[in-house]
Amino acid sequence: MSDLNKIALKIISNGKGILAADESNGTMTKRLTSVNVTSTPENRLLFREILFSSESMKECIGGVILYDETIKQTTSLGKPIPELISSSGAVPGIKVDTGAKDLANSSGEKITEGLDGLRVRLKKYYELGARFTKWRGVYSISDEHPSKLAIYSNAHSLARYAALVQESGMVPIVEPELLMEGNHSSDVCLNKTSEVIKKCFDELILHKIDLSGIILKPNMILAGEQSKDKISNEEVAHKTLKCLKGSVPGEVPGIAFLSGGQSEIEATKNLNLINNINNTKFIMTYSYGRALQQSALKIWSKNIDGIEATQNTFNHRAKMCSLAAKGKWSYELESK
Ligand code: 5MM
């Protein structure tokens, strides 16, 4: 077992998943403004410190993805944030892309940037305690999208990123996200997601990535938000598994889904069903941002100095997701 494989397994095994707390300042400002809290470095830290010191970190969270600002911050008691995360047994991680920008010659599509100077930045993040990283390629779905150009260029960047990350001794999370916006059917989402993931692995293999030392972070297979094709949660699970079975090489240890704008309950229910019928050898878990934090953020915004209610809410959500990662969640447990 390689060292990278060991880190990956530590993050995603035994019902543990990932807390995606890597919102850039722009996104975090939107989240905080939506609950009437001013977005300052202090308030961003306050909310995150409350989450990272919660009891459920020990049982349910195997890794936390941080943003550049947060990984350099210290707690109110002077402890560096990566140390706070490690002290609960979780692995500190860091988002290293610098965001999705307009893709030249392909109107309405994005290319993720951040390769320039990446080797140097990775060394610094490793020194700060990070042992895994994240890079997100983002793709829209329409009749023309994602284009071959977007599929190829994002796959190429993800592979170059993954190679540098493994060279630096860290596990890359490879995140190709096909967005939910649109009126496409679930079958269109299935076909396009499969095409994107296959291309990512073609490039990862070309760049000699150790596939046992990565974590894939894909979207689930859903119908577009504005689509009339409403499918059941069982169909979401079946189609998601069909997609991953057909496009992910067997050496990959695990898959940690993004929630992508699903409600907390939907994201939990779908993950649970995926694990109930998992006919692959991949670990299937969560790497949720909104589906782990939404309710906790609302509660916190009512009293930003109160810790207990926010932690109780986060602990519950993390526990539900962890049960879903073992296929042991049920709706009744939500109200216990
Ligand atoms: C936490 O949000 C991340 C996006 O941050 P920026 O857009 O500010 O860079 C995002 O990549 C996230 O990690 C994944 O999309 C999963 O989050 P959701 O909310 O979709 O589960």
Side-chain angles (χ1 to χ4, degrees):
M1 194 191 284
S2 71
D3 288 349
L4 294 176
N5 181 247
K6 273 188 211 151
I7 298 171
L9 289 175
K10 179 172 180 196
I11 297 170
I12 58 175
S13 297
N14 305 318
K16 288 191 177 182
I18 300 169
L19 168 59
D22 59 310
E23 298 86 355
S24 55
N25 288 347
T27 303
M28 199 55 187
T29 298
K30 276 191 218 147
R31 303 264 191 273
L32 293 181
T33 310
S34 76
V35 292
N36 300 315
V37 176
T38 312
S39 183
T40 59
E42 294 73 26
N43 282 346
R44 294 193 284 268
L45 174 64
L46 191 57
F47 177 62
R48 286 163 166 159
E49 186 181 337
I50 292 172
L51 298 188
F52 305 161
S53 346
S54 299
E55 194 53 36
S56 58
M57 286 289 298
K58 293 187 192 127
E59 292 291 318
C60 309
I61 305 295
V64 179
I65 317 173
L66 300 167
Y67 181 58
D68 180 71
E69 175 182 83
T70 325
I71 199 170
K72 296 169 182 161
Q73 286 174 318
T74 50
T75 68
S76 37
L77 297 174
K79 193 186 254 196
I81 289 293
E83 255 182 66
L84 172 65
I85 291 166
S86 308
S87 68
S88 71
V91 181
I94 179 78
K95 185 229 298 286
V96 300
D97 67 63
T98 55
K101 310 284 158 55
D102 289 343
L103 176 61
N105 292 330
S106 193
S107 169
E109 293 200 288
K110 301 281 180 193
I111 177 72
T112 302
E113 296 188 346
L115 289 170
D116 287 352
L118 181 57
R119 186 179 262 131
V120 176
R121 286 194 291 128
L122 290 171
K123 195 166 179 286
K124 291 197 180 123
Y125 288 137
Y126 189 96
E127 284 162 9
L128 287 167
R131 291 296 176 269
F132 77 103
T133 66
K134 193 201 89 171
W135 179 292
R136 171 173 171 253
V138 55
Y139 312 78
S140 52
I141 300 186
S142 69
D143 288 347
E144 300 82 30
H145 296 166
S147 65
K148 297 274 176 230
L149 178 59
I151 293 174
Y152 169 73
S153 46
N154 276 295
H156 179 77
S157 299
L158 276 162
R160 287 185 57 198
Y161 140 81
L164 287 167
V165 171
Q166 290 196 333
E167 179 193 87
S168 73
M170 296 190 276
V171 167
I173 292 189
V174 173
E175 181 180 5
E177 176 176 9
L178 283 85
L179 298 169
M180 254 162 76
E181 283 90 46
N183 56 11
H184 52 271
S185 68
S186 55
D187 283 333
V188 167
C189 179
L190 169 60
N191 292 337
K192 298 202 178 211
T193 303
S194 302
E195 188 183 354
V196 164
I197 294 178
K198 278 183 194 154
K199 191 67 190 175
C200 285
F201 280 104
D202 287 350
E203 286 290 314
L204 290 167
I205 290 165
L206 187 66
H207 286 78
K208 304 188 172 67
I209 301 305
D210 167 9
L211 295 182
S212 74
I214 73 160
I215 297 169
L216 179 70
K217 176 166 173 169
N219 49 284
M220 294 179 190
I221 302 302
L222 305 166
E225 246 174 350
Q226 291 84 34
S227 168
K228 293 195 183 90
D229 168 41
K230 296 295 170 216
I231 61 166
S232 67
N233 299 96
E234 284 75 12
E235 282 175 289
V236 169
H238 279 292
K239 289 186 183 192
T240 301
L241 284 162
K242 182 176 175 192
C243 169
L244 297 169
K245 218 174 165 182
S247 55
V248 183
E251 301 94 299
V252 174
I255 290 165
F257 295 98
L258 58 94
S259 57
Q262 299 180 72
S263 70
E264 292 176 342
I265 302 282
E266 283 289 296
T268 311
K269 188 173 186 178
N270 286 333
L271 177 63
N272 188 59
L273 283 165
I274 287 170
N275 277 297
N276 286 162
I277 56 176
N278 188 0
N279 52 1
T280 71
K281 63 179 224 10
F282 305 122
I283 294 171
M284 300 280 185
T285 188
Y286 49 94
S287 176
Y288 293 163
R290 285 163 287 180
L292 272 172
Q293 299 182 56
Q294 234 158 36
S295 296
L297 182 67
K298 275 192 200 138
I299 296 284
W300 174 72
S301 68
K302 292 184 186 138
N303 172 16
I304 67 168
D305 295 313
I307 295 174
E308 204 183 331
T310 307
Q311 290 192 333
N312 288 344
T313 308
F314 176 70
N315 286 337
H316 174 73
R317 205 62 258 139
K319 179 80 191 155
M320 293 298 107
C321 286
S322 175
L323 285 169
K326 298 178 196 153
K328 291 185 174 162
W329 173 88
S330 72
Y331 190 72
E332 292 69 52
L333 296 170
E334 286 289 339
S335 50
K336 278 192 183 155

